[in-house]
Amino acid sequence: MSRIRVLSDQVANKIAAGEVVERPAAVVKELVENSLDAGATRIVLHLEAGGRNLIRVEDDGRGMDGDDAVLCFERHATSKIRESEELLSVRTLGFRGEALPSIASVAKVRLKTRAEADDLGTEVLIEGGILKKVAPIAWPGGTTIEVRSLFYNTPARRKFLRTQQTELRHISAMLTRLALAHPKVRFLGFHKGRSILDLVPYPEALERIANLYGPKLAKSLTALHRSEEDHHLHAYIGPLHDTKSGSDYQHTFVNGRAVQSPTLRAAIRDAFRLVLPKGRLPVIILYLELPHGEVDVNVHPTKAEVRFFSPYRVRRFLTDALGEYLAVQARGDLPRMSLGRDRNERLRLRLDSVYPEKLGAAGAASLEGRNPRVSPASSVGLPGDEDRVRWARAETSFSGARPGAAGERGRQSHLPLLPGLASQSPTPRLAHPYSAGSVVAAESGSDRGTEGDAAKVGESFVAPVQAGVGQGDLPRLGLSQLRYIGQLANTFLLLEDEEGLVIIDQHVAHERVRLEALIDGVRNAKRTLQPLLIPIVIEFPPEAVMALERGNEPLLQLGFEIDSLDGGSVAVRTAPANLPVGEIEPTVRLLVRRLLDDAEELPEAAQLVEDALVMAACKGAIKANDPLAPQEAKALIQKLDRARHPFSCPHGRPSYFRLPLRQIEREFGRMGFGS
């Protein structure tokens, strides 16, 4: 007797529900996406017990006739596609025909709908995948679908649901993404009859951002727009001083779909890596529009991930645009320190947002007519507090989507420093802040340990890059114009002007200066290799050896010829010239970690060398407790003044801040007194 059996539709639907219906938020996602695909302009969500007992979605979209109302609960029944070729250019949010039958197999579902051309609507009742009722009803139009007692017939699944508040937070996060993707749609939410969400429709995404997160955050954003042939980017990015520890404020949308993508994550990471501290994320809401045929949305059970036909082009397009945004942001007012009465918050940094108008006439002129367009989001009209989303602060609130306090600091992402290092792109690209168009003179003179350091991590052969927002386009910060006072604790450099005191961390400042000098040195160096008379053998685990084999081409571009040996080891046969033998193994191990971090996509040689440059800059920089002669200190200040990103070290720590004179006077109680 055969042991293999074909499962019944009811069992198959329950299995599919395990992938599609993870929790109440997944049900909300599928139902709301169906409403959006039906052209709804108003969507109302009703919840009870965090979605366990009731999820009801009402919309004003195109309804269904009686036949479709029943057929939509059949497996793989859909109105979205007809032929397999259409999977390569899906334009709707749903297309598989799996969600409704999967939901109906683990819940009690009631559907009420009416097509615009019909006089009567249709009511369908299904419990646990079994059709219970089909009847004509009077119905005004649109569709209402009600899901009750989720997982009532699968107790094990219901047991693993979290608390009501946790499930509400997941629903909140899901609705936030859907609302950001579709700002022209009205969203209302109710829990146990209480209003918890009211998002009025707006024509622009920025207004929806203000609707969700508040006008204060929205006005701090910078709008970035860029187009390159059939690739279009619209992004809203927060100031560099207001970063987050989680991804609640980082959203990516492709063709109107909220998605996760290793390619998009890598582009954001690459752009911000050297300007934000490790563990911090920028506030960024990114809308990418591509030809539908270049995006594969059929790669994930819940369609939460996408793949790109040309991931390298997409990643480069985004990284170029974000890199130029950072070039604009790199200049602005000095960070200010506030000495509050609360000693636990005595050192609080505040770095004002920097927008193109602060570049001055030269900078503004250099940006005219360029792609991308960078502008303060605050220039767009925003809704006031009375138009903001209403969040119930009781136990029914969507606390997961409520923004936290502003003023968090820092995070690390990646900024490709040498965009021309890899093979040349088929089309010219705008330069990054560190590209050839923004090169400053390398370190020279009395600076310690800089001569020849560029070769320590490999010499490159950089193709010419179009000039971007270059050093000549940006005004000097004027640090070198301040009066140098002296050195504090052999660690901090003190300067003053009429506004107060400026304090510079000498190690952070020198690390930034050295990094930019190393970048310029590597860019300008010729490719020279050193064959090793005795190859250096390094032991690695199997996954690291495979990563080296995968990254063979960019490693060769850097000057490393590495062969795999038996037993999980590799032999380094050539290395960049002037790289000391003792530095070869640590550098290779660092590059292996970089390859493992980018397991989804092969990094460029420029991205690989970046980590090595950062390591070299840090190791050779002036340390804390190193005494400096006044001439040395002034030379360092002048070089920091010329730096392209003077605000932080490569790890994101601030290099200096201003202590206003008024703050000092306030601490001594001199405010409002004569002398």
Side-chain angles (χ1 to χ4, degrees):
M1 180 179 177
S2 174
R3 297 169 56 190
I4 299 177
R5 297 180 179 85
V6 177
L7 298 175
S8 67
D9 287 345
Q10 193 172 2
V11 175
N13 283 334
K14 285 187 178 181
I15 293 173
E19 292 184 329
V20 178
V21 189
E22 300 173 287
R23 61 194 330 147
V27 176
V28 172
K29 172 182 180 293
E30 298 294 343
L31 299 184
V32 172
E33 285 184 346
N34 281 342
S35 296
L36 292 169
D37 284 341
T41 60
R42 183 178 185 271
I43 298 174
V44 184
L45 173 67
H46 294 268
L47 301 167
E48 289 182 8
R52 291 167 176 257
N53 296 347
L54 172 67
I55 298 172
R56 183 167 68 242
V57 175
E58 306 168 358
D59 69 55
D60 61 352
R62 297 181 299 274
M64 294 178 283
D65 60 25
D67 292 338
D68 284 349
V70 176
L71 193 58
C72 69
F73 289 101
E74 297 291 330
R75 291 193 71 203
H76 305 303
T78 179
S79 62
K80 314 297 175 57
I81 60 174
R82 291 286 184 270
E83 306 294 336
S84 60
E85 291 77 11
E86 296 179 67
L87 286 172
L88 303 178
S89 57
V90 173
R91 296 175 180 271
T92 55
L93 298 174
F95 56 89
R96 293 192 186 124
E98 288 183 328
L100 286 180
S102 297
I103 295 168
S105 70
V106 293
K108 300 175 182 179
V109 178
R110 186 184 302 272
L111 171 71
K112 296 180 180 180
T113 185
R114 181 178 71 84
E116 188 176 357
D118 294 345
D119 295 327
L120 291 176
T122 303
E123 180 181 19
V124 179
L125 177 63
I126 298 180
E127 294 183 1
I130 300 174
L131 182 63
K132 296 289 187 179
K133 176 184 176 182
V134 179
I137 59 170
W139 194 248
T143 299
T144 293
I145 186 165
E146 186 177 277
V147 178
R148 290 187 178 273
S149 305
L150 184 63
F151 299 133
Y152 81 99
N153 56 351
T154 53
R157 293 291 304 279
R158 191 172 178 89
K159 182 179 68 174
F160 279 96
L161 290 178
R162 302 304 180 188
T163 65
Q164 175 178 296
Q165 280 298 308
T166 299
E167 297 303 336
L168 277 173
R169 282 197 297 271
H170 284 283
I171 294 173
S172 166
M174 180 61 65
L175 282 177
T176 296
R177 292 191 290 271
L178 291 168
L180 286 171
H182 302 276
K184 297 179 182 179
V185 177
R186 175 81 181 272
F187 287 88
L188 296 102
F190 299 88
H191 187 267
K192 296 179 181 179
R194 295 184 57 186
S195 175
I196 54 175
L197 180 69
D198 188 353
L199 299 176
V200 298
Y202 284 105
E204 299 295 336
L206 179 63
E207 296 166 316
R208 174 53 54 85
I209 294 170
N211 213 203
L212 277 165
Y213 293 116
K216 182 178 180 180
L217 182 140
K219 289 177 181 178
S220 74
L221 302 178
T222 300
L224 171 64
H225 306 285
R226 178 168 182 173
S227 294
E228 183 180 284
E229 297 179 357
D230 51 7
H231 286 39
H232 306 283
L233 170 67
H234 308 279
Y236 300 93
I237 309 170
L240 298 181
H241 71 275
D242 186 14
T243 60
K244 310 298 177 184
S245 58
S247 58
D248 290 346
Y249 291 77
Q250 193 170 86
H251 300 282
T252 52
F253 304 92
V254 177
N255 294 341
R257 184 189 301 273
V259 300
Q260 300 173 3
S261 166
T263 299
L264 302 184
R265 286 196 302 268
I268 296 172
R269 180 195 65 200
D270 287 345
F272 286 87
R273 180 186 182 196
L274 296 183
V275 295
L276 296 181
K278 186 175 181 179
R280 306 298 298 183
L281 292 167
V283 174
I284 180 169
I285 299 171
L286 185 151
Y287 299 86
L288 185 62
E289 297 174 14
L290 305 174
H292 291 274
E294 294 191 14
V295 185
D296 186 357
V297 300
N298 191 28
V299 296
H300 191 271
T302 62
K303 306 178 288 293
E305 295 184 7
V306 297
R307 290 179 182 170
F308 299 102
F309 178 74
S310 302
Y312 173 81
R313 182 187 174 194
V314 171
R315 181 170 175 172
R316 175 56 63 194
F317 171 66
L318 292 179
T319 309
D320 279 352
L322 294 174
E324 187 154 336
Y325 156 80
L326 287 171
V328 174
Q329 291 288 84
R331 298 285 166 154
D333 298 336
L334 291 180
R336 297 178 182 272
M337 186 182 79
S338 173
L339 294 182
R341 293 295 181 184
D342 183 353
R343 301 300 177 177
N344 293 325
E345 297 181 359
R346 196 168 178 82
L347 300 180
R348 177 174 59 83
L349 292 176
R350 181 180 65 82
L351 174 61
D352 291 336
S353 300
V354 182
Y355 296 117
E357 63 263 32
K358 288 191 176 182
L359 293 174
S366 71
L367 291 176
E368 288 184 5
R370 294 176 55 84
N371 267 336
R373 301 194 311 278
V374 182
S375 61
S378 56
S379 63
V380 180
L382 295 174
D385 289 337
E386 66 279 2
D387 295 325
R388 288 184 54 189
V389 54
R390 300 200 309 270
W391 297 96
R393 291 186 175 273
E395 47 87 22
T396 57
S397 69
F398 286 173
S399 57
R402 185 68 180 163
E408 297 181 71
R409 291 171 45 198
R411 187 242 174 183
Q412 176 172 354
S413 275
H414 294 30
L415 180 60
L417 305 180
L418 307 172
L421 189 57
S423 57
Q424 295 187 30
S425 301
T427 56
R429 294 181 286 100
L430 290 170
H432 294 287
Y434 294 107
S435 63
S438 58
V439 173
V440 296
E443 291 185 276
S444 60
S446 63
D447 196 18
R448 309 182 192 183
T450 58
E451 188 173 353
D453 277 349
K456 278 191 176 183
V457 289
E459 296 164 63
S460 67
F461 19 100
V462 183
V465 182
Q466 283 189 325
V469 179
Q471 183 71 10
D473 300 325
L474 299 171
R476 301 290 186 207
L477 289 174
L479 287 173
S480 56
Q481 304 302 314
L482 276 61
R483 189 175 77 84
Y484 175 69
I485 300 174
Q487 192 180 24
L488 173 64
N490 287 335
T491 300
F492 303 103
L493 308 181
L494 306 180
L495 301 89
E496 72 165 343
D497 62 6
E498 65 278 2
E499 295 184 12
L501 187 67
V502 174
I503 305 174
I504 300 175
D505 185 318
Q506 64 189 31
H507 172 73
V508 172
H510 194 216
E511 193 174 357
R512 167 57 65 186
V513 169
R514 278 177 50 79
L515 176 63
E516 297 192 5
L518 291 174
I519 292 165
D520 297 337
V522 169
R523 180 183 294 112
N524 297 326
K526 297 180 180 179
R527 183 188 181 187
T528 55
L529 307 178
Q530 55 171 327
L532 301 177
L533 184 61
I534 302 177
I536 297 175
V537 178
I538 309 174
E539 299 287 339
F540 282 115
E543 63 271 18
V545 175
M546 288 187 285
L548 280 170
E549 293 173 349
R550 187 175 64 96
N552 182 60
E553 183 177 344
L555 289 172
L556 282 174
Q557 286 184 301
L558 293 179
F560 290 99
E561 181 182 341
I562 303 175
D563 295 333
S564 299
L565 305 177
D566 293 335
S569 58
V570 300
V572 183
R573 302 192 183 280
T574 67
N578 299 326
L579 178 62
V581 174
E583 295 291 333
I584 292 177
E585 180 173 344
T587 303
V588 171
R589 290 189 178 277
L590 187 148
L591 296 176
V592 167
R593 288 200 301 271
R594 184 69 167 87
L595 286 167
L596 289 172
D597 288 343
D598 270 349
E600 294 287 339
E601 188 176 346
L602 184 65
E604 302 174 22
Q607 295 166 339
L608 290 177
V609 77
E610 176 187 305
D611 285 332
L613 288 173
V614 170
M615 183 176 67
C618 183
K619 289 175 63 175
I622 298 168
K623 302 295 189 293
N625 300 314
D626 281 353
L628 295 181
Q631 294 81 359
E632 292 178 301
K634 292 177 181 178
L636 175 59
I637 293 167
Q638 290 177 349
K639 291 169 184 174
L640 182 65
D641 200 19
R642 297 196 301 265
R644 294 182 289 273
H645 286 274
F647 288 121
S648 64
C649 73
H651 310 292
R653 289 185 297 162
S655 57
Y656 58 87
F657 62 84
R658 178 185 292 281
L659 178 57
L661 180 60
R662 292 178 63 85
Q663 288 285 345
I664 299 174
E665 291 175 335
R666 185 178 295 115
E667 287 297 307
F668 284 99
R670 299 182 63 86
M671 297 298 292
F673 294 94
S675 57

